[in-house]
Amino acid sequence: MTPDSLREEVERHRLVNLTGPLGIGKSYLAARIPSASVVDLSRPGASETVSAALAGAAREILVLDNADGAPALAALEPVRTRRGGRTAPVLVVSRRSLLTRPGWTGTGVEPREVPAWDDERIRNLAVDARLHDARSQDLVVRLAAGNPLIAGAVCRALHTGAPPTAAGAVAHHVAREITDRLSRERPAGEWRDALPELATVRWGDEELLGTDPALFGTLGTLSVVTSTELGLGIAEPFRTVIETAHRWRRPATHRGTRSAALAHRQRLLAAEDTAEQRSRQAEGIMALSPDDVVREALFAGGSYEGTVHTAAADDADTVGALMHAWARSGGMDTRRTDRLVEQWLRDDPASFQLFRDGDGRAIGLASTLHVAEDTIDSVEPLLQQHTDRLLGRRERPAGWLLGAAYCPDRGAHSRLLRHLLRQVIAGGLLLTVSTPSPHYQGLLRALRFRRHGPATEDVYRCGRKPEIYSQDFGPQALPVWTEKLAAVSPPAEAPQPPARHVAQALADIGDPDRLAGSPLLSLPHLSTVTDLRERLREAVHTLEASDSTEEAEAGWILAHYYLGPRRTHLQLARSLHLSRATYFRRLRHGLDVLGRTLASGPEDT
């Protein structure tokens, strides 16, 4: 958007409302429209100035800036009611759309929103502010998330001497500028003290915030506050700045607020009987995760508008181009990836979900194969030796297999991932993920997904084998998962069980009655015979697929001695061409590895 293009819009529609969040550059843009006359509605006597401007010459565009707060809106009454005789075009500049205000529906006002700056433009602003070190520039880009006002405030804070490693100290300076600007909308009051708490809980209802109805209503009138399914929330990047500052100023209060919010969300989740609302409450719990990896991946600081929809048949070329870009970004063999994508489209044409920006352009996608017998040709290359076990689960439907998620914009990528998680939670599905990306593997571990181990083959020819993770989002499993997700740290490991207990459980794996007496069932992660049997099999096959020769031989021995047709130790040693002593060292090593795996819990299986 440029001053000239904005002038064309105003001349075409006659009454245009230029909107956008605090500090996005609305006034800067409007003031540069050629030959425009500007009236600042925040100055005293604005009503008289507007009336005089409307009664004057009508040849040039009239810009009415800072149309925020009750006095400024009152000054716009002649424009809203078309009194004053002016016929020339009018541009009203406000943080919130006039269509959210009483009386403006049906006035013919045409809203236009100023877009956020891209990261490169924000970085250039930091360079122009004489910040030449990479860490300072990175902090400007991260906290600003496309907002030039915040970017400038971060630059000023850094020039006061706050180091770029102290994000909280920098955010403290920026948060004060934000609240001072908001005072133009509402006189300073209790809302200033309530903003840090709302920023910390991300979305808050009146009960969670502990506010009276009047204060809750006041918060809702601020331009940076939005209404959501879970209550009020502060729009990004303002929320991140305010919370970062609050955590720096009052760390103990911040932790207590977050803990109380987690407990509140868990109670609401337990009482919720609709699938869609369960998914929303779970999203609220994810947003409060104590793990920075989860919050940074799923709730990037920027605000990005867009929609996610299932790809149609005529989207095949778009899918192919985005998957090609995904392969290149991950260092994968693009021709190999192209062949996999062709197979996925044949087996499950609706398996791709596209993310489209506000202009309708497809800028990201996710591959979500429905795991079933008729998609086995697509599923098997991604799951490989884990296919039969994951397909063979009878207690839960197979659900979805996430094979790829790509979007180069951080904010859009976060929205895409959250959309996928809401879908599987609302559907009560089992979500399995196959990924060679260390970044995604770290995210899945932080999300407490169950790790099944690596695949045998480097399917994407990128030098990294995919790792397989899964999580059951059924109604019974969801509260257990959210409790793990809300924990400050992963559960402590149980003591490693003796090798003899592991060996006896493997020997009894085909006899449920005998296996029910195994001491291994006292481990915190193993509550049923079915759990124990499945965990033992998975651990053996994961060991067998190891890149380490010693571990792979140990897994092979366990698989063939305990899980296959009965053979003697001597026969197996001869098959591997091992001496008797080496064979039993491998066997003992395998039992020890299984013991550690069982003690460490599902996330490390």
Side-chain angles (χ1 to χ4, degrees), residues 509-549:
I509 198 166
D511 188 336
D513 293 334
R514 290 178 63 85
L515 196 58
S518 172
L520 299 181
L521 288 173
S522 64
L523 292 171
H525 309 289
L526 298 171
S527 56
T528 68
V529 169
T530 300
D531 289 340
L532 177 55
R533 180 190 291 124
E534 184 175 321
R535 292 289 309 287
L536 284 168
R537 290 185 184 277
E538 287 186 357
V540 168
H541 290 304
T542 297
L543 190 64
E544 192 177 9
S546 172
D547 291 329
S548 163
T549 301

Side-chain angles (χ1 to χ4, degrees), residues 246-309:
H246 181 53
R247 181 166 48 187
W248 177 75
R249 289 197 316 269
R250 306 187 68 182
T253 300
H254 177 269
R255 285 194 297 272
T257 299
R258 177 173 284 175
S259 297
L262 277 168
H264 180 74
R265 293 263 171 257
Q266 291 280 21
R267 288 194 298 272
L268 293 178
L269 176 65
E272 189 55 65
D273 56 0
T274 66
E276 181 61 31
Q277 282 303 308
R278 279 197 300 271
S279 73
R280 294 294 182 182
Q281 294 295 346
E283 184 178 11
I285 292 169
M286 286 185 272
L288 293 166
S289 168
D291 198 313
D292 290 341
V293 173
V294 174
R295 295 198 310 277
E296 290 174 7
L298 299 184
F299 302 91
S303 178
Y304 200 101
E305 295 301 319
T307 57
V308 182
H309 71 93

